[in-house]
Amino acid sequence: MTENDAAARSWLRPDLRESLPAYEPIEPPEVLAARLGIPPERIVKLDGNENPYGMGDRAIAALRAVPADFALYPDPEQRALRAALALRMGLGAEQIVAGAGSDELIDLMIRLLVAPGETVVVCPPTFGMYRFSTLVQGGRVVEAPRKPDFGLDIDATVVAIRSSGARLVFIASPNNPTGNLLSPEELDALLATGTFVVVDEAYMEFTGEEGSVCRVASGAPNLAVLRTFSKWAGLAGLRVGYGVFPHAIAEALMVVKPPYTPNTAATVAALASLEDLPALMGRVEAIVRERDRLAKALGALPGVRTFPSRANFVLARFTDRPAREVRDALRQRGIFVRHFDQPPVDDCLRITAGRPEQTDAVIAALTEVLHG
Ligand code: PMP
């Protein structure tokens, strides 16, 4: 570090000066391809839980038509999008807030509810953004680890919430990277602690609405549910998510949130996606079929155990070979999957359900690697 760097770094908040919390994002295909020296179209990208079919035809057409004036700021009240979502969900628009991905809403909920030094409970292994956003904002993270089967340890979670005086608990349902759902009984137990519960349903479209707690959220004063267009609608690159909140929280979110998210292009694509539900949900069904085919094929390989998933990915544990080695061997073949560094999933790979030919490719490669 140069003297100048050190001087500049001294401007960082004292709690961030020694080490900055980091979220490990995934890399785009052109970067992965350049590293391997192969064309980007040869990459089999199953590391980001993205939609292998891309945006819907209506979203593409809507963006091509440039129906909005991109020189103007979008509606800060998100009227059209909130109304369309309200109609779809059978809820009032005043309970819905959209953001630049659910990531933005996770960040905003922490900003709004958690003062520096206050606690957020997370249940690892789970989505890293809850921890990351809490630490960046000077909050304290208390972990209530999941059980060996990756179900919630509900008793330990309730104790963690109570003993830490947690302001907020985040539960992903289906959970990333394990694929399992939060049960209604578990939700009741969490709500009964009196803390604020955020259920992140980023993958719920792959489960079916019967797994969702959106209905409960429309009435409970300490529950919010987050959703996204990134997965089912294939809009991850446009960054558009939304949530159902108690009315007073939605109102406060609209006040503290940067005024112009989601941007105009994201809003146009999201609205068009809501008008393209039959086609997009047809793709969701195809992805679910591939998920199940992938899980079955993985389970038949030597030294591989899979966990039942309700999302668009499968978590597989490798018992005979280090998962990192398996990931590297797949990478050499142009196939990218997600490996986690930390126990209890450091011996696991998370593989996104792709198109049928991508499932074929990953199964063929794993068969070669594990039998070889
Ligand atoms: N929640 C979970 C559980 C996720 O896995 C992801 C994406 N990896 C997100 C939220 C973020 O979604 P978005 O693209 O809407 O920010």
Side-chain angles (χ1 to χ4, degrees):
M1 204 191 293
T2 67
E3 220 168 276
N4 255 352
D5 284 342
R9 210 176 161 84
S10 71
W11 283 99
L12 296 182
R13 258 172 31 202
D15 61 312
L16 297 181
R17 223 169 278 159
E18 287 307 309
S19 79
L20 282 168
Y23 177 76
E24 195 191 325
I26 42 166
E27 307 270 29
E30 54 285 6
V31 174
L32 303 177
R35 231 176 257 159
L36 280 178
I38 61 174
E41 55 281 5
R42 281 207 28 222
I43 296 285
V44 177
K45 194 172 181 311
L46 303 175
D47 58 352
N49 298 342
E50 293 144 319
N51 191 316
Y53 298 100
M55 299 193 280
D57 292 342
R58 287 197 182 206
I60 293 171
L63 287 173
R64 285 228 167 95
V66 193
D69 188 343
F70 291 156
L72 302 181
Y73 288 106
D75 172 13
E77 290 297 319
Q78 314 172 339
R79 288 174 184 85
L81 186 53
R82 292 170 88 193
L85 287 167
L87 195 66
R88 177 179 172 218
M89 304 177 93
L91 299 171
E94 70 286 351
Q95 286 201 261
I96 296 171
V97 177
S102 29
D103 284 349
E104 184 182 34
L105 297 167
I106 292 166
D107 196 68
L108 284 171
M109 282 301 282
I110 296 166
R111 269 204 253 173
L112 199 58
L113 272 65
V114 184
E118 288 188 325
T119 299
V120 172
V121 168
V122 298
C123 301
T126 192
F127 186 42
M129 195 60 70
Y130 315 136
R131 177 186 184 83
F132 167 76
S133 285
T134 302
L135 295 178
V136 169
Q137 297 185 45
R140 202 165 67 92
V141 174
V142 167
E143 294 189 338
R146 288 167 180 265
K147 293 186 291 195
D149 68 355
F150 298 132
L152 281 187
D153 187 338
I154 192 66
D155 295 337
T157 307
V158 166
V159 168
I161 290 169
R162 292 222 160 100
S163 62
S164 68
R167 298 283 298 155
L168 200 51
V169 57
F170 281 100
I171 307 286
S173 176
N175 186 43
N176 174 12
T178 61
N180 50 317
L181 288 181
L182 173 73
S183 74
E185 296 73 28
E186 288 165 340
L187 177 64
D188 286 345
L190 295 174
L191 291 174
T193 65
T195 195
F196 198 98
V197 182
V198 176
V199 180
D200 178 350
E201 295 189 344
Y203 301 97
M204 191 50 77
E205 287 77 5
F206 301 96
T207 305
E209 289 299 317
E210 76 282 357
S212 170
V213 300
C214 272
R215 287 270 131 231
V216 188
S218 65
N222 59 333
L223 173 63
V225 178
L226 304 182
R227 291 282 188 98
T228 179
F229 284 80
S230 293
K231 316 294 179 183
W232 70 275
L235 302 187
L238 280 170
R239 316 301 302 122
V240 52
Y242 61 99
V244 178
F245 304 91
H247 183 200
I249 299 283
E251 237 173 34
L253 277 172
M254 290 302 286
V255 174
V256 301
K257 155 185 179 304
Y260 302 121
T261 61
N263 69 46
T264 306
T267 305
V268 164
L271 285 168
S273 301
L274 291 172
E275 284 170 10
D276 207 6
L277 284 179
L280 288 170
M281 291 313 285
R283 291 176 176 185
V284 164
E285 278 169 33
I287 292 167
V288 166
R289 279 196 299 276
E290 287 310 297
R291 173 195 74 198
D292 294 342
R293 188 164 78 89
L294 175 66
K296 198 161 162 216
L298 286 171
L301 287 169
V304 185
R305 180 186 158 204
T306 61
F307 297 88
S309 170
R310 302 295 300 273
N312 66 342
F313 53 80
V314 178
L315 187 72
R317 170 161 281 154
F318 290 78
T319 50
D320 297 352
R321 290 275 294 275
R324 185 187 297 277
E325 234 177 78
V326 178
R327 180 212 48 198
D328 291 344
L330 290 176
R331 216 179 247 186
Q332 287 314 313
R333 291 161 174 80
I335 299 170
F336 288 80
V337 300
R338 181 96 189 221
H339 172 249
F340 299 87
D341 293 346
Q342 300 298 317
V345 280
D346 55 334
D347 54 356
C348 295
L349 298 180
R350 188 197 67 196
I351 307 176
T352 305
R355 292 172 179 253
E357 62 273 20
Q358 294 178 314
T359 313
D360 294 342
V362 74
I363 294 300
L366 277 172
T367 305
E368 199 182 294
V369 170
L370 295 173
H371 283 291

